[in-house]
Amino acid sequence: MNIKIILLAMLVSVVSLPAKVIEYQEIYQKDNSVFKEAMRMQIKSEVKKHTKEIQDLYVQIGYQPIWIDKDQLTHDAGVLLDEIKLDKNRGLFSSLDKIYETLLKEEQLFDPAQTLKEKVALEFRFTQLYTKYIDTIIEGQKCDYTAETLIAYSLEKGSLSDGLNAIVKERVTYVTPSLQSKDRIVKESKELDTGIKMKCQTTYKTLEKMYKILGHQPVWVGRSGISTYATELFREIKEDINLDKNGTLYKEYQTLFTFEIPKENKKIVEYELKIAKLYKHYMEHLLYGEINWKKFQRDLKQHHRNAAWVTHNVVASPESLLVTAINEGSLTHVFEKAKPQFLWYETLLIALNKYQKIAANGGWESLPAFKTIKPEESNNSMLPRIRERLSIEGDYINCPETTDETDYDTCLLDAVKIFQKRHGLAAEGYIGKLTQKALSQSAEEKVAQIKLNIYRMKWLKRDSERYRIFVNIPAFRMYVFDKQKKIQSMKVIVGKKRHETPVFYNRVRSIVLNPYWRIPRSIIRYEMIPKLKKNRHYLIKNHIELHTGYSEHSPRVNSLKVNWHKYGRKLPPYKFMQSPGVTNALGKVKYLFPNKFAVYMHDTNAKNLFEKDIRAFSHGCVRLDKPFELLETFSTMDTKVDFQKAEKILEHNRKTPIRLAKSIPIDMVYLTTWVNADGTIEFRDDIYGFDKLQLSAYKTKSLSTSTD
């Protein structure tokens, strides 16, 4: 039996998957509750052997474990190691080398079978690393948190990432370099320093931090004129197509660019600080974009109760980048450093340029509502207007064979199919409701959509990993990249409305072959119990085991000896788990990246759903069209994955976890437009309504706000 036979067998679906993500979270929490309580008691017993800071930390959180779970290291342990790795790549935190390297090795050697005492010892070593890391960052700074209160905040919010975002200002201050050059930034300008200092203390208070680092020296202008830094700034703003040419920032640039350079010291200082303010505003735009994330998060809670969108603050600021630029003698490098490293960023700027030109030239005519048009129809008065519409966007190219523009000929059919494919629709040529909806979007709306997605990219996790997985939720696709090269792509099924797949970053740390499916209460109550009352052999027939606990190793219960008629609204005290096999709701393989949402990627026995164009059917998790092909790709990325050995394991039904030698970054992203490698500009429907919420948020954003 091979993978292909397994795939064919899995076309038959036995058990549906109508459970909420929150129920899977509850199962996960209950499965760990006994272990966590044992850990808590052991921590409370042994914490007195450690420093007062560590004792206070565990008192603050009620002695609960932070870094060690029942079967693995927690997500927070991974976040801590990942963030320190990124900082160490910048040449920071050399004092943490020894304990960090030790824990990296222990991460790989972690064994669920370790004794409780061994796990508690590892827990304390992680806490030592964490406290040293946070204490080093906030030392000498006015910070609202200590290492103890920050971990409590992180646990309350659900992730250490939230805690690190809360001290992003302190992190930026820590990574900000010192001014290296002893020479003047702008020659023959010393007499301006006092004026700059006084103005920063009164009129330009938002610039005080910047100029304090610079010793209140001028950067942009001196008595002999503007500096090279000002020239570079003006040029960058002029060429930035992502800036609204009618916006406040661009008008501010135009005024300062055409300003006659003053001769008096007082006016030179004023000009200097106005350019500095322009630089700060522009770098905030470049670093953070224009989405008001606080407002969006409030709106998200109000309109999408189960949805989540996790952002990652950039550990950089206009001030830190300016010091870097002065140390290097040019702003050019830091402009690039401020931009997202996301692989679709630059190509989406090219797409923006195209649609801005179309919009500037008047866009295209708005089409009235019309009945579905089928290929080969004739004498339809809408077809010439559709030809013109598709021609402006570049999908239709005039054909010499066209003799009557009211005929739905081959040339127009090809153009319609191209348009439909670019918009994620069935490329069949039928111009129905969904195609009409896509055609109704104006050029200006597409410009706004492209800009919005560019702004989103600025808040993705920034790292320099070789391999990276992306699940683009509105595209219903998963991609695997080796640096900038796409090495795999496949269809996926994502969460439906009200059970949206969360937008977040994590790392795939393990793979489970032949997984068990732990069945949530709603399915037990509304599906299992009624069927068991009619047929007490139902669980046996569907390969569902009855256990006393959520572990497959917990004692089994004979379902034939249970009186199911006394249960209904009242649930039995047992745990239902579907055993591994081709009928399992999770299929034959799942990919785990521990997270607070209890979301993961998995195989499925409902293969027919992948034939749909709009694939929002799950309750949050991501179902894979080709899970075994992904497994083979993992074998090329990680030495722990032996694909041939895995194939043999999959021929049987023994649960087999594989812990990766090196975790692989995974991003759940929400991009409704992007550009393919061949230059094709893709658009997708806003399936969750997030575009609408974010557009309403960033339109009201003030330029003076830095990271809101």
Side-chain angles (χ1 to χ4, degrees):
M1 187 178 185
N2 57 30
I3 298 287
K4 290 182 179 178
I5 296 174
I6 290 173
L7 279 168
L8 289 172
M10 288 171 62
L11 289 173
V12 181
S13 175
V14 178
V15 181
S16 59
L17 195 66
K20 298 179 182 179
V21 169
I22 191 169
E23 292 184 273
Y24 292 103
Q25 292 172 335
E26 289 173 359
I27 288 174
Y28 178 78
Q29 290 164 0
K30 286 182 180 179
D31 189 24
N32 278 285
S33 60
V34 175
F35 167 78
K36 284 190 172 183
E37 180 58 23
M39 281 284 288
R40 194 182 74 82
M41 296 304 293
Q42 191 74 14
I43 289 169
K44 189 174 183 179
S45 172
E46 295 189 22
V47 74
K48 62 188 73 170
K49 301 174 186 176
H50 295 272
T51 64
K52 186 176 186 304
E53 182 181 23
I54 290 178
Q55 291 180 45
D56 291 345
L57 183 149
Y58 280 102
V59 169
Q60 181 90 16
I61 61 174
Y63 303 101
Q64 64 178 301
I66 308 164
W67 320 107
I68 310 298
D69 236 335
K70 180 171 173 283
D71 299 317
Q72 61 200 357
L73 298 182
T74 65
H75 166 64
D76 285 341
V79 170
L80 178 63
L81 294 176
D82 291 344
E83 290 301 319
I84 293 176
K85 178 184 176 182
L86 290 173
D87 285 335
K88 287 178 73 61
N89 287 342
R90 300 186 184 105
L92 304 169
F93 299 104
S94 58
S95 62
L96 301 180
D97 282 352
K98 188 175 180 180
I99 186 171
Y100 169 72
E101 295 296 337
T102 299
L103 286 175
L104 273 185
K105 291 176 184 176
E106 296 207 33
E107 179 193 23
Q108 299 306 321
L109 297 173
F110 179 78
D111 183 357
Q114 286 175 328
T115 66
L116 192 68
K117 199 170 183 68
E118 288 172 327
K119 288 179 178 178
V120 168
L122 183 57
E123 168 82 14
F124 283 130
R125 286 197 289 278
F126 265 101
T127 307
Q128 288 168 355
L129 178 64
Y130 163 78
T131 53
K132 286 183 179 180
Y133 180 56
I134 300 301
D135 288 346
T136 304
I137 291 171
I138 66 177
E139 185 179 7
Q141 299 194 58
K142 292 181 180 179
C143 183
D144 293 335
Y145 295 94
T146 62
E148 305 96 272
T149 58
L150 186 68
I151 200 66
Y153 173 82
S154 301
L155 293 173
E156 177 192 343
K157 291 294 183 180
S159 173
L160 181 61
S161 297
D162 295 292
L164 293 175
N165 281 344
I167 60 165
V168 69
K169 291 181 180 178
E170 289 79 8
R171 295 177 73 195
V172 170
T173 299
Y174 182 80
V175 303
T176 301
S178 301
L179 193 63
Q180 294 172 357
S181 176
K182 294 181 180 179
D183 296 330
R184 300 284 306 173
I185 300 170
V186 178
K187 293 182 180 179
E188 300 175 3
S189 60
K190 192 172 183 179
E191 66 273 20
L192 303 176
D193 294 4
T194 303
I196 289 172
K197 186 174 183 179
M198 290 178 63
K199 279 284 185 179
C200 285
Q201 291 172 346
T202 55
T203 314
Y204 292 88
K205 291 183 179 180
T206 58
L207 300 177
E208 171 61 21
K209 181 180 178 182
M210 180 189 297
Y211 278 100
K212 188 175 182 180
I213 298 171
L214 303 173
H216 296 97
Q217 295 182 62
V219 177
W220 314 103
V221 63
R223 294 193 61 79
S224 57
I226 62 172
S227 68
T228 56
Y229 298 113
T231 302
E232 289 174 330
L233 175 63
F234 289 155
R235 182 174 64 244
E236 187 74 15
I237 293 174
K238 181 182 179 182
E239 295 174 357
D240 189 340
I241 64 169
N242 200 25
L243 272 180
D244 181 3
K245 297 300 185 284
N246 295 314
T248 306
L249 200 156
Y250 195 81
K251 288 179 179 178
E252 190 179 347
Y253 146 73
Q254 287 179 312
T255 301
L256 293 172
F257 179 70
T258 57
F259 197 79
E260 185 177 347
I261 300 171
K263 301 297 182 183
E264 299 175 24
N265 284 356
K266 187 176 180 180
K267 291 183 178 180
I268 293 174
V269 167
E270 190 73 25
Y271 188 38
E272 161 76 20
L273 294 174
K274 284 182 178 179
I275 298 177
K277 187 178 177 183
L278 173 68
Y279 163 80
K280 184 176 171 65
H281 286 169
Y282 178 66
M283 290 306 289
E284 288 170 347
H285 161 81
L286 206 57
L287 282 167
Y288 314 123
E290 304 298 339
I291 298 171
N292 185 332
W293 286 101
K294 287 184 179 178
K295 182 179 186 303
F296 169 68
Q297 294 291 359
R298 289 195 300 269
D299 293 344
L300 195 63
K301 288 180 181 178
Q302 182 180 350
H303 300 286
H304 301 266
R305 189 174 60 182
N306 296 320
W309 190 309
V310 180
T311 57
H312 291 270
N313 291 62
V314 186
V315 187
S317 68
E319 293 82 3
S320 68
L321 291 175
L322 182 58
V323 177
T324 300
I326 292 169
N327 286 340
E328 295 179 359
S330 173
L331 281 171
T332 304
H333 172 69
V334 297
F335 286 142
E336 288 302 314
K337 195 173 180 180
K339 294 175 183 176
Q341 300 164 345
F342 190 62
L343 47 99
W344 285 330
Y345 177 75
E346 293 293 341
T347 53
L348 204 52
L349 288 176
I350 296 171
L352 176 61
N353 188 38
K354 173 184 174 177
Y355 279 91
Q356 282 180 331
K357 287 179 179 178
I358 292 174
N361 290 328
W364 46 72
E365 178 190 6
S366 177
L367 300 176
F370 55 88
K371 293 182 179 179
T372 299
I373 302 174
K374 301 176 182 178
E376 300 183 1
E377 279 192 10
S378 299
N379 301 317
N380 192 311
S381 60
M382 283 302 302
L383 292 177
R385 301 169 77 172
I386 293 172
R387 284 180 200 272
E388 177 66 17
R389 164 72 178 79
L390 296 178
S391 176
I392 293 172
E393 204 162 352
D395 297 315
Y396 177 81
I397 300 173
N398 289 326
C399 298
E401 304 89 58
T402 300
T403 56
D404 186 350
E405 290 197 344
T406 63
D407 286 344
Y408 197 167
D409 56 22
T410 303
C411 289
L412 181 56
L413 178 62
D414 290 342
V416 169
K417 287 182 176 180
I418 291 170
F419 178 86
Q420 289 173 329
K421 189 176 180 181
R422 288 198 308 114
H423 290 75
L425 305 172
E428 297 173 346
Y430 288 84
I431 309 176
K433 289 183 179 180
L434 293 177
T435 303
Q436 287 186 52
K437 180 183 176 183
L439 286 168
S440 69
Q441 191 176 18
S442 69
E444 291 78 10
E445 287 172 330
K446 287 199 167 183
V447 166
Q449 184 178 350
I450 293 170
K451 282 189 173 186
L452 183 64
N453 283 272
I454 287 172
Y455 296 149
R456 286 172 179 162
M457 292 178 184
K458 296 176 184 294
W459 291 82
L460 292 172
K461 177 75 172 178
R462 301 189 182 200
D463 60 33
S464 55
E465 299 279 349
R466 175 180 174 180
Y467 297 110
R468 198 155 180 175
I469 299 170
F470 294 97
V471 175
N472 189 7
I473 297 166
F476 310 108
R477 290 200 77 84
M478 185 220 68
Y479 308 87
V480 183
F481 281 87
D482 182 347
K483 294 183 179 177
Q484 298 293 315
K485 182 182 178 183
K486 182 176 70 178
I487 59 175
Q488 190 171 36
S489 173
M490 71 180 65
K491 295 177 181 178
V492 298
I493 290 168
V494 300
K496 56 189 174 183
K497 286 184 179 179
R498 297 188 182 88
H499 303 290
E500 298 89 343
T501 296
V503 179
F504 70 109
Y505 165 93
N506 210 284
R507 301 179 76 93
V508 180
R509 300 182 185 276
S510 60
I511 302 169
V512 180
L513 307 179
N514 300 315
Y516 276 82
W517 176 40
R518 297 169 178 177
I519 303 174
R521 290 178 302 172
S522 61
I523 295 177
I524 296 169
R525 176 178 284 122
Y526 299 114
E527 184 173 334
M528 302 288 176
I529 300 297
K531 289 178 179 177
L532 280 164
K533 287 178 179 178
K534 294 178 181 178
N535 178 10
R536 65 194 183 106
H537 294 276
Y538 174 79
L539 296 185
I540 298 170
K541 181 181 177 181
N542 288 284
H543 309 285
I544 296 170
E545 301 173 4
L546 211 57
H547 286 259
T548 58
Y550 276 119
S551 169
E552 64 269 21
H553 303 298
S554 61
R556 292 277 298 270
V557 176
N558 187 342
S559 62
L560 298 177
K561 294 184 177 180
V562 177
N563 179 8
W564 297 109
H565 292 280
K566 68 178 183 178
Y567 299 112
R569 294 189 63 83
K570 177 187 175 184
L571 285 173
Y574 313 119
K575 311 306 176 188
F576 292 61
M577 293 194 296
Q578 191 176 32
S579 58
V582 294
T583 58
N584 189 285
L586 302 181
K588 294 285 286 182
V589 60
K590 66 178 179 179
Y591 299 83
L592 297 176
F593 33 101
N595 59 84
K596 64 180 180 180
F597 308 110
V599 165
Y600 47 87
M601 297 190 299
H602 66 88
D603 184 14
T604 176
N605 56 17
K607 295 291 184 181
N608 59 307
L609 294 178
F610 289 105
E611 297 172 9
K612 306 285 186 180
D613 296 309
I614 309 300
R615 295 185 293 277
F617 300 117
S618 84
H619 283 72
C621 285
V622 176
R623 306 181 202 170
L624 299 166
D625 182 30
K626 300 175 181 178
F628 307 116
E629 290 185 15
L630 179 60
L631 185 62
E632 188 170 14
T633 299
F634 263 90
S635 71
T636 67
M637 298 188 295
D638 195 281
T639 56
K640 286 286 187 74
V641 184
D642 184 327
F643 184 64
Q644 291 180 338
K645 184 178 178 181
E647 281 188 302
K648 292 179 181 178
I649 293 170
L650 288 167
E651 291 176 3
H652 306 286
N653 292 327
R654 187 181 75 255
K655 178 184 173 182
T656 307
I658 303 171
R659 184 173 177 78
L660 300 182
K662 186 179 181 182
S663 58
I664 306 295
I666 180 168
D667 274 283
M668 301 289 169
V669 298
Y670 194 89
L671 297 176
T672 53
T673 180
W674 70 95
V675 181
N676 288 333
D678 62 1
T680 303
I681 305 170
E682 301 272 350
F683 293 91
R684 292 296 183 271
D685 192 30
D686 179 21
I687 60 169
Y688 294 160
F690 291 168
D691 280 18
K692 185 178 179 181
L693 286 182
Q694 289 184 352
L695 283 168
S696 66
Y698 93 79
K699 285 178 181 177
T700 60
K701 181 181 183 294
S702 168
L703 279 173
S704 63
T705 307
S706 60
T707 57
D708 279 3

